[in-house]
Amino acid sequence: MRREITGFSNPTVKYLRSLREKKHRKAAGKFLAEGLRLLTDARECGHVPETLVMSAARDPHPLIDALEAAVEAAGGEVIECTPDILSKITGKDNPQGVAGVFAEFDTSLAALDRGAAKIWLVAQALRDPGNLGTMLRTGDAVGAGGLILIDDCADPFSVEAVRASMGAVFTQKVARASWEEFLPWLRSGEGQLVAASLRDAVPYRGAPYAAPCFILVGNESRGLPEEYEMACDLRVTMPMRGRADSLNAAVAGAVLAYEVLEALGG
Amino acid sequence: MRREITGFSNPTVKYLRSLREKKHRKAAGKFLAEGLRLLTDARECGHVPETLVMSAARDPHPLIDALEAAVEAAGGEVIECTPDILSKITGKDNPQGVAGVFAEFDTSLAALDRGAAKIWLVAQALRDPGNLGTMLRTGDAVGAGGLILIDDCADPFSVEAVRASMGAVFTQKVARASWEEFLPWLRSGEGQLVAASLRDAVPYRGAPYAAPCFILVGNESRGLPEEYEMACDLRVTMPMRGRADSLNAAVAGAVLAYEVLEALGG
């Protein structure tokens, strides 16, 4: 059954809108995702929103009908509102016709099955939600298992990160841990830790990668702490032909991930 | 000689601040860059700001002295202001201690020397200034000649693009053209046009790349128009192991650029 909301001051609107802020997401354990393609990707991966919000001005689409049916079958709530209210909720001037509220996933290291994939991406203190979403998207493309966020990273459940992930937040596992938690977890099983580095490194092309390979990239401004680099099993270097001595973090991770994919035969 | 500015309503402050907006940059033919590292990179590449703006609260640094000397030797202007005013100019809460105003570069295709590099990046309708800056940075890293912006792209001289380029806007050539201008220019000399594509494509790894190689990436949402893809000399495909059928535009360009760099022997 659909509920209609017409007023900006409706408490549900306030609640949904509050999920744009990290503290409210954390308190509620929920996050927002928008757009029919993204919500359809989510549904096809088994993630049905608890609440589906639809603009009354949306174009009819069988995939919207499928979403609505899935939400109702799962006992969720369907809300119809004006485009203005949807815009207020998602913070976009031209909101896509649908948005959904999802429960945040378990982001503990314990929930990861490292044997499930040959490649894992690991980011340390990654501050930009766009970079974080891009890494999730790259991870999906190379068939990685997921993205492990070390130390103080951007929130993977922010609207910006979810948007930049193009739905990969629903296909990739996401874990969050401190370095002090991550390293013992890594060493408790198989796994090669690899970083792009200028210290004591071998060329990234043809380096002896081994599965499961954990590709570690550092903070956008500072790169990786030396201690973290030195804890790696393999340090590799990429050609730098210009004045720069580094790449954008998400770019470096992607170039490396495609090289590892080639080496490990996908 | 330094000029001190203490008032927010000073016309110079208003002018400098206006350069954050595209229409004012276009009218003035100037752009803003901030940060000591970026301005130093610029200086070392022969680009001295016409106006140097320094926060009165900056930490002393020999590179700031060198910048100031270079600006004065070139007949430019040095302005000292409060951190608040610098913050207002650059739009950043914690402004770096220095910013500079530069004349925009010649962005005509005619200004490019295609034989100067083996790799050129080409972006079509790239809308995100962060992606644009990241592509410039990648171009610098792979020793590309520059970035050619086709159709309606983000402004390479926006504060966001300049910042994301990490100074590469000063080392890479930038050209702007419509597709109707670009294609005849390309065909008037040597040059292989390559795009990542799903249409009639060969694997990107080991494809027959040839210098000068022009790597074409498309719009973030829509990708390349089919007509543009079909005009390419070579269409290559990258593995997509997940649900996604594409990568972030700047990421796709970078993975491809590193492959071409390897193939063409740098």
Side-chain angles (χ1 to χ4, degrees), chain A residues 148-198:
Chain A
I148 302 170
L149 301 168
I150 304 290
D151 299 340
D152 188 24
C153 287
D155 184 355
F157 300 114
S158 71
V159 174
E160 297 76 19
V162 170
R163 193 181 288 153
S165 85
M166 298 286 280
V169 72
F170 295 107
T171 64
Q172 294 283 291
K173 298 282 180 198
V174 180
R176 294 190 268 207
S178 68
W179 179 250
E180 290 70 27
E181 293 162 342
F182 170 71
L183 203 59
W185 173 84
L186 180 73
R187 297 311 180 200
S188 71
E190 277 198 297
Q192 179 192 51
L193 189 60
V194 179
S197 169
L198 302 171

Short mmCIF file of all heavy atoms in Angstrom, two decimals, chain A residues 148-198:
data_model
loop_
_atom_site.label_atom_id
_atom_site.label_comp_id
_atom_site.label_asym_id
_atom_site.label_seq_id
_atom_site.Cartn_x
_atom_site.Cartn_y
_atom_site.Cartn_z
N ILE A 148 38.18 -2.79 1.58
CA ILE A 148 38.43 -2.70 3.02
C ILE A 148 38.93 -1.29 3.31
O ILE A 148 39.92 -0.84 2.71
CB ILE A 148 39.46 -3.76 3.46
CG1 ILE A 148 38.94 -5.16 3.11
CG2 ILE A 148 39.72 -3.64 4.97
CD1 ILE A 148 39.97 -6.27 3.29
N LEU A 149 38.25 -0.61 4.21
CA LEU A 149 38.57 0.78 4.52
C LEU A 149 39.34 0.85 5.83
O LEU A 149 38.82 0.45 6.88
CB LEU A 149 37.28 1.60 4.61
CG LEU A 149 36.44 1.60 3.33
CD1 LEU A 149 35.06 2.18 3.59
CD2 LEU A 149 37.17 2.36 2.23
N ILE A 150 40.57 1.34 5.74
CA ILE A 150 41.46 1.36 6.89
C ILE A 150 41.53 2.76 7.48
O ILE A 150 41.67 3.74 6.74
CB ILE A 150 42.88 0.94 6.47
CG1 ILE A 150 42.87 -0.43 5.79
CG2 ILE A 150 43.84 0.95 7.65
CD1 ILE A 150 42.58 -1.57 6.70
N ASP A 151 41.51 2.83 8.77
CA ASP A 151 41.62 4.11 9.49
C ASP A 151 40.44 5.02 9.11
O ASP A 151 39.36 4.53 8.85
CB ASP A 151 42.99 4.77 9.24
CG ASP A 151 44.14 3.87 9.75
OD1 ASP A 151 43.89 2.99 10.59
OD2 ASP A 151 45.27 4.05 9.29
N ASP A 152 40.68 6.32 9.08
CA ASP A 152 39.55 7.25 8.99
C ASP A 152 39.21 7.57 7.52
O ASP A 152 39.72 8.52 6.94
CB ASP A 152 39.90 8.53 9.75
CG ASP A 152 38.70 9.45 9.86
OD1 ASP A 152 37.56 8.96 9.78
OD2 ASP A 152 38.91 10.66 10.01
N CYS A 153 38.35 6.78 6.95
CA CYS A 153 37.96 6.96 5.54
C CYS A 153 36.62 7.67 5.45
O CYS A 153 35.88 7.78 6.40
CB CYS A 153 37.84 5.60 4.85
SG CYS A 153 39.40 4.78 4.48
N ALA A 154 36.30 8.13 4.24
CA ALA A 154 34.97 8.66 3.95
C ALA A 154 33.95 7.54 4.18
O ALA A 154 34.29 6.36 4.22
CB ALA A 154 34.90 9.14 2.50
N ASP A 155 32.69 7.93 4.33
CA ASP A 155 31.63 6.98 4.63
C ASP A 155 31.15 6.31 3.35
O ASP A 155 30.67 6.98 2.43
CB ASP A 155 30.47 7.74 5.30
CG ASP A 155 29.35 6.81 5.74
OD1 ASP A 155 29.42 5.59 5.45
OD2 ASP A 155 28.40 7.30 6.37
N PRO A 156 31.27 4.98 3.26
CA PRO A 156 30.84 4.30 2.03
C PRO A 156 29.34 4.38 1.80
O PRO A 156 28.88 4.11 0.69
CB PRO A 156 31.27 2.85 2.28
CG PRO A 156 31.33 2.70 3.76
CD PRO A 156 31.77 4.04 4.27
N PHE A 157 28.59 4.77 2.83
CA PHE A 157 27.13 4.83 2.70
C PHE A 157 26.63 6.26 2.46
O PHE A 157 25.42 6.51 2.50
CB PHE A 157 26.47 4.21 3.93
CG PHE A 157 26.84 2.77 4.12
CD1 PHE A 157 27.59 2.37 5.22
CD2 PHE A 157 26.48 1.82 3.18
CE1 PHE A 157 27.95 1.04 5.39
CE2 PHE A 157 26.85 0.49 3.33
CZ PHE A 157 27.58 0.10 4.44
N SER A 158 27.54 7.20 2.23
CA SER A 158 27.11 8.56 1.89
C SER A 158 26.46 8.55 0.51
O SER A 158 26.75 7.70 -0.33
CB SER A 158 28.29 9.52 1.90
OG SER A 158 29.13 9.26 0.80
N VAL A 159 25.58 9.51 0.29
CA VAL A 159 24.90 9.61 -1.01
C VAL A 159 25.93 9.72 -2.13
O VAL A 159 25.78 9.09 -3.19
CB VAL A 159 23.94 10.82 -1.01
CG1 VAL A 159 23.33 11.01 -2.39
CG2 VAL A 159 22.83 10.62 0.01
N GLU A 160 27.00 10.49 -1.90
CA GLU A 160 28.01 10.71 -2.95
C GLU A 160 28.76 9.41 -3.28
O GLU A 160 29.01 9.10 -4.45
CB GLU A 160 29.03 11.76 -2.51
CG GLU A 160 28.47 13.15 -2.29
CD GLU A 160 27.71 13.29 -0.97
OE1 GLU A 160 27.90 12.44 -0.06
OE2 GLU A 160 26.90 14.23 -0.85
N ALA A 161 29.14 8.65 -2.24
CA ALA A 161 29.88 7.41 -2.48
C ALA A 161 28.99 6.38 -3.16
O ALA A 161 29.42 5.70 -4.11
CB ALA A 161 30.44 6.86 -1.16
N VAL A 162 27.77 6.28 -2.70
CA VAL A 162 26.83 5.33 -3.30
C VAL A 162 26.62 5.67 -4.77
O VAL A 162 26.64 4.80 -5.64
CB VAL A 162 25.49 5.32 -2.53
CG1 VAL A 162 24.43 4.52 -3.28
CG2 VAL A 162 25.69 4.75 -1.12
N ARG A 163 26.45 6.96 -5.05
CA ARG A 163 26.24 7.42 -6.42
C ARG A 163 27.46 7.10 -7.30
O ARG A 163 27.33 6.54 -8.38
CB ARG A 163 25.99 8.93 -6.39
CG ARG A 163 25.46 9.54 -7.65
CD ARG A 163 25.28 11.05 -7.46
NE ARG A 163 24.17 11.40 -6.60
CZ ARG A 163 24.09 12.53 -5.87
NH1 ARG A 163 25.07 13.41 -5.89
NH2 ARG A 163 23.04 12.77 -5.12
N ALA A 164 28.66 7.43 -6.80
CA ALA A 164 29.88 7.20 -7.59
C ALA A 164 30.14 5.71 -7.78
O ALA A 164 30.80 5.31 -8.73
CB ALA A 164 31.08 7.87 -6.93
N SER A 165 29.63 4.89 -6.88
CA SER A 165 29.86 3.43 -7.00
C SER A 165 29.02 2.84 -8.13
O SER A 165 29.25 1.70 -8.53
CB SER A 165 29.52 2.72 -5.69
OG SER A 165 28.14 2.41 -5.60
N MET A 166 28.05 3.60 -8.61
CA MET A 166 27.17 3.12 -9.70
C MET A 166 26.56 1.76 -9.36
O MET A 166 26.40 0.90 -10.23
CB MET A 166 27.95 3.02 -11.01
CG MET A 166 28.49 4.34 -11.51
SD MET A 166 27.23 5.42 -12.19
CE MET A 166 27.05 4.72 -13.83
N GLY A 167 26.24 1.57 -8.10
CA GLY A 167 25.59 0.33 -7.68
C GLY A 167 26.53 -0.70 -7.11
O GLY A 167 26.08 -1.70 -6.53
N ALA A 168 27.83 -0.48 -7.25
CA ALA A 168 28.79 -1.49 -6.79
C ALA A 168 28.79 -1.62 -5.27
O ALA A 168 29.28 -2.61 -4.73
CB ALA A 168 30.20 -1.17 -7.29
N VAL A 169 28.22 -0.65 -4.55
CA VAL A 169 28.11 -0.78 -3.10
C VAL A 169 27.23 -1.99 -2.75
O VAL A 169 27.34 -2.53 -1.65
CB VAL A 169 27.57 0.53 -2.47
CG1 VAL A 169 26.09 0.73 -2.77
CG2 VAL A 169 27.83 0.57 -0.97
N PHE A 170 26.41 -2.42 -3.70
CA PHE A 170 25.56 -3.58 -3.46
C PHE A 170 26.19 -4.90 -3.92
O PHE A 170 25.72 -5.96 -3.58
CB PHE A 170 24.21 -3.41 -4.17
CG PHE A 170 23.39 -2.27 -3.62
CD1 PHE A 170 23.24 -1.10 -4.34
CD2 PHE A 170 22.80 -2.37 -2.37
CE1 PHE A 170 22.49 -0.05 -3.83
CE2 PHE A 170 22.05 -1.32 -1.85
CZ PHE A 170 21.91 -0.15 -2.59
N THR A 171 27.25 -4.82 -4.73
CA THR A 171 27.87 -6.06 -5.22
C THR A 171 29.20 -6.35 -4.52
O THR A 171 29.62 -7.49 -4.47
CB THR A 171 28.15 -5.99 -6.74
OG1 THR A 171 29.12 -4.97 -7.00
CG2 THR A 171 26.89 -5.68 -7.51
N GLN A 172 29.84 -5.29 -4.02
CA GLN A 172 31.12 -5.46 -3.35
C GLN A 172 30.90 -5.49 -1.83
O GLN A 172 30.08 -4.75 -1.30
CB GLN A 172 32.05 -4.28 -3.68
CG GLN A 172 32.46 -4.22 -5.14
CD GLN A 172 33.54 -5.24 -5.43
OE1 GLN A 172 34.67 -5.13 -4.98
NE2 GLN A 172 33.18 -6.27 -6.18
N LYS A 173 31.66 -6.33 -1.15
CA LYS A 173 31.66 -6.28 0.30
C LYS A 173 32.42 -5.03 0.74
O LYS A 173 33.37 -4.61 0.08
CB LYS A 173 32.37 -7.51 0.90
CG LYS A 173 31.70 -8.82 0.55
CD LYS A 173 30.48 -9.04 1.42
CE LYS A 173 29.83 -10.37 1.06
NZ LYS A 173 28.45 -10.45 1.56
N VAL A 174 32.01 -4.46 1.84
CA VAL A 174 32.72 -3.32 2.40
C VAL A 174 33.03 -3.62 3.86
O VAL A 174 32.15 -4.07 4.60
CB VAL A 174 31.87 -2.03 2.33
CG1 VAL A 174 32.63 -0.86 2.93
CG2 VAL A 174 31.47 -1.72 0.90
N ALA A 175 34.30 -3.44 4.23
CA ALA A 175 34.67 -3.63 5.64
C ALA A 175 35.39 -2.38 6.13
O ALA A 175 35.98 -1.64 5.33
CB ALA A 175 35.55 -4.86 5.81
N ARG A 176 35.29 -2.12 7.41
CA ARG A 176 35.96 -0.97 8.01
C ARG A 176 36.76 -1.46 9.21
O ARG A 176 36.24 -2.21 10.04
CB ARG A 176 34.94 0.06 8.49
CG ARG A 176 34.18 0.69 7.35
CD ARG A 176 33.35 1.87 7.80
NE ARG A 176 32.01 1.47 8.14
CZ ARG A 176 30.94 2.28 8.06
NH1 ARG A 176 31.08 3.54 7.69
NH2 ARG A 176 29.74 1.86 8.38
N ALA A 177 38.02 -1.03 9.29
CA ALA A 177 38.87 -1.48 10.40
C ALA A 177 40.02 -0.51 10.59
O ALA A 177 40.39 0.21 9.67
CB ALA A 177 39.41 -2.87 10.11
N SER A 178 40.60 -0.52 11.77
CA SER A 178 41.85 0.20 11.98
C SER A 178 42.98 -0.67 11.43
O SER A 178 42.82 -1.88 11.21
CB SER A 178 42.07 0.46 13.47
OG SER A 178 42.31 -0.77 14.12
N TRP A 179 44.13 -0.05 11.22
CA TRP A 179 45.30 -0.81 10.75
C TRP A 179 45.66 -1.89 11.77
O TRP A 179 46.04 -3.00 11.39
CB TRP A 179 46.46 0.18 10.57
CG TRP A 179 47.75 -0.43 10.12
CD1 TRP A 179 48.89 -0.56 10.87
CD2 TRP A 179 48.05 -0.98 8.83
NE1 TRP A 179 49.87 -1.15 10.13
CE2 TRP A 179 49.39 -1.43 8.86
CE3 TRP A 179 47.33 -1.14 7.65
CZ2 TRP A 179 50.01 -2.01 7.77
CZ3 TRP A 179 47.95 -1.74 6.56
CH2 TRP A 179 49.27 -2.17 6.63
N GLU A 180 45.51 -1.56 13.05
CA GLU A 180 45.84 -2.51 14.12
C GLU A 180 44.91 -3.72 14.11
O GLU A 180 45.26 -4.80 14.62
CB GLU A 180 45.79 -1.82 15.48
CG GLU A 180 46.91 -0.82 15.73
CD GLU A 180 46.78 0.46 14.88
OE1 GLU A 180 45.63 0.81 14.52
OE2 GLU A 180 47.82 1.07 14.56
N GLU A 181 43.71 -3.53 13.60
CA GLU A 181 42.80 -4.68 13.46
C GLU A 181 43.05 -5.41 12.15
O GLU A 181 42.99 -6.64 12.07
CB GLU A 181 41.33 -4.19 13.45
CG GLU A 181 40.86 -3.62 14.77
CD GLU A 181 39.59 -2.76 14.62
OE1 GLU A 181 39.27 -2.34 13.49
OE2 GLU A 181 38.96 -2.50 15.64
N PHE A 182 43.34 -4.64 11.10
CA PHE A 182 43.45 -5.23 9.77
C PHE A 182 44.64 -6.17 9.64
O PHE A 182 44.53 -7.29 9.12
CB PHE A 182 43.54 -4.12 8.71
CG PHE A 182 43.89 -4.63 7.34
CD1 PHE A 182 42.98 -5.37 6.60
CD2 PHE A 182 45.14 -4.38 6.79
CE1 PHE A 182 43.29 -5.86 5.33
CE2 PHE A 182 45.47 -4.87 5.53
CZ PHE A 182 44.54 -5.60 4.80
N LEU A 183 45.81 -5.70 10.11
CA LEU A 183 47.03 -6.47 9.85
C LEU A 183 46.98 -7.87 10.48
O LEU A 183 47.27 -8.86 9.78
CB LEU A 183 48.27 -5.67 10.28
CG LEU A 183 49.56 -6.08 9.60
CD1 LEU A 183 49.49 -5.95 8.08
CD2 LEU A 183 50.74 -5.27 10.14
N PRO A 184 46.61 -7.99 11.76
CA PRO A 184 46.48 -9.35 12.32
C PRO A 184 45.43 -10.19 11.59
O PRO A 184 45.63 -11.39 11.38
CB PRO A 184 46.05 -9.09 13.77
CG PRO A 184 46.43 -7.68 14.05
CD PRO A 184 46.36 -6.94 12.76
N TRP A 185 44.32 -9.57 11.19
CA TRP A 185 43.31 -10.32 10.44
C TRP A 185 43.91 -10.85 9.14
O TRP A 185 43.76 -12.03 8.81
CB TRP A 185 42.10 -9.42 10.14
CG TRP A 185 41.10 -10.07 9.23
CD1 TRP A 185 40.11 -10.94 9.60
CD2 TRP A 185 41.03 -9.97 7.81
NE1 TRP A 185 39.43 -11.38 8.49
CE2 TRP A 185 39.97 -10.79 7.37
CE3 TRP A 185 41.75 -9.26 6.85
CZ2 TRP A 185 39.61 -10.91 6.03
CZ3 TRP A 185 41.40 -9.39 5.51
CH2 TRP A 185 40.34 -10.21 5.11
N LEU A 186 44.64 -9.96 8.43
CA LEU A 186 45.25 -10.38 7.16
C LEU A 186 46.21 -11.55 7.39
O LEU A 186 46.21 -12.53 6.64
CB LEU A 186 46.00 -9.20 6.53
CG LEU A 186 46.69 -9.52 5.21
CD1 LEU A 186 45.67 -9.69 4.08
CD2 LEU A 186 47.72 -8.45 4.84
N ARG A 187 47.02 -11.43 8.44
CA ARG A 187 48.06 -12.44 8.69
C ARG A 187 47.51 -13.72 9.28
O ARG A 187 48.24 -14.71 9.42
CB ARG A 187 49.16 -11.85 9.60
CG ARG A 187 49.91 -10.66 9.00
CD ARG A 187 50.39 -10.92 7.60
NE ARG A 187 51.13 -9.79 7.01
CZ ARG A 187 51.29 -9.63 5.69
NH1 ARG A 187 50.79 -10.50 4.83
NH2 ARG A 187 51.97 -8.61 5.24
N SER A 188 46.24 -13.72 9.62
CA SER A 188 45.63 -14.94 10.17
C SER A 188 45.22 -15.91 9.07
O SER A 188 44.67 -16.98 9.37
CB SER A 188 44.40 -14.56 11.00
OG SER A 188 43.35 -14.14 10.15
N GLY A 189 45.48 -15.55 7.83
CA GLY A 189 45.13 -16.44 6.73
C GLY A 189 45.99 -16.13 5.52
O GLY A 189 46.97 -15.39 5.62
N GLU A 190 45.62 -16.69 4.38
CA GLU A 190 46.37 -16.41 3.17
C GLU A 190 46.09 -15.00 2.70
O GLU A 190 45.00 -14.46 2.90
CB GLU A 190 45.94 -17.38 2.07
CG GLU A 190 46.66 -18.71 2.15
CD GLU A 190 46.54 -19.45 0.83
OE1 GLU A 190 45.40 -19.78 0.45
OE2 GLU A 190 47.59 -19.69 0.20
N GLY A 191 47.06 -14.42 2.00
CA GLY A 191 46.83 -13.09 1.47
C GLY A 191 48.12 -12.34 1.28
O GLY A 191 48.98 -12.31 2.16
N GLN A 192 48.27 -11.73 0.10
CA GLN A 192 49.46 -10.95 -0.21
C GLN A 192 49.06 -9.47 -0.19
O GLN A 192 48.12 -9.08 -0.87
CB GLN A 192 49.95 -11.33 -1.61
CG GLN A 192 51.17 -10.56 -2.07
CD GLN A 192 51.44 -10.77 -3.57
OE1 GLN A 192 50.54 -10.60 -4.40
NE2 GLN A 192 52.66 -11.13 -3.90
N LEU A 193 49.80 -8.67 0.58
CA LEU A 193 49.50 -7.24 0.65
C LEU A 193 50.45 -6.50 -0.29
O LEU A 193 51.67 -6.61 -0.18
CB LEU A 193 49.67 -6.75 2.10
CG LEU A 193 49.19 -5.33 2.39
CD1 LEU A 193 47.71 -5.15 2.10
CD2 LEU A 193 49.49 -4.95 3.84
N VAL A 194 49.86 -5.75 -1.22
CA VAL A 194 50.63 -5.07 -2.28
C VAL A 194 50.34 -3.58 -2.25
O VAL A 194 49.18 -3.18 -2.13
CB VAL A 194 50.24 -5.62 -3.67
CG1 VAL A 194 51.01 -4.90 -4.77
CG2 VAL A 194 50.47 -7.11 -3.74
N ALA A 195 51.38 -2.76 -2.39
CA ALA A 195 51.15 -1.33 -2.49
C ALA A 195 52.00 -0.73 -3.58
O ALA A 195 53.11 -1.20 -3.86
CB ALA A 195 51.47 -0.63 -1.16
N ALA A 196 51.49 0.32 -4.19
CA ALA A 196 52.31 1.13 -5.08
C ALA A 196 53.20 1.98 -4.20
O ALA A 196 52.74 2.60 -3.25
CB ALA A 196 51.43 2.01 -5.95
N SER A 197 54.48 2.01 -4.51
CA SER A 197 55.44 2.61 -3.59
C SER A 197 56.68 3.03 -4.36
O SER A 197 56.95 2.54 -5.46
CB SER A 197 55.81 1.58 -2.52
OG SER A 197 56.92 2.03 -1.77
N LEU A 198 57.42 3.96 -3.81
CA LEU A 198 58.72 4.29 -4.40
C LEU A 198 59.86 3.67 -3.59
O LEU A 198 61.01 3.77 -3.96
CB LEU A 198 58.88 5.82 -4.45
CG LEU A 198 57.80 6.56 -5.24
CD1 LEU A 198 57.91 8.07 -5.06
CD2 LEU A 198 57.85 6.19 -6.72
#
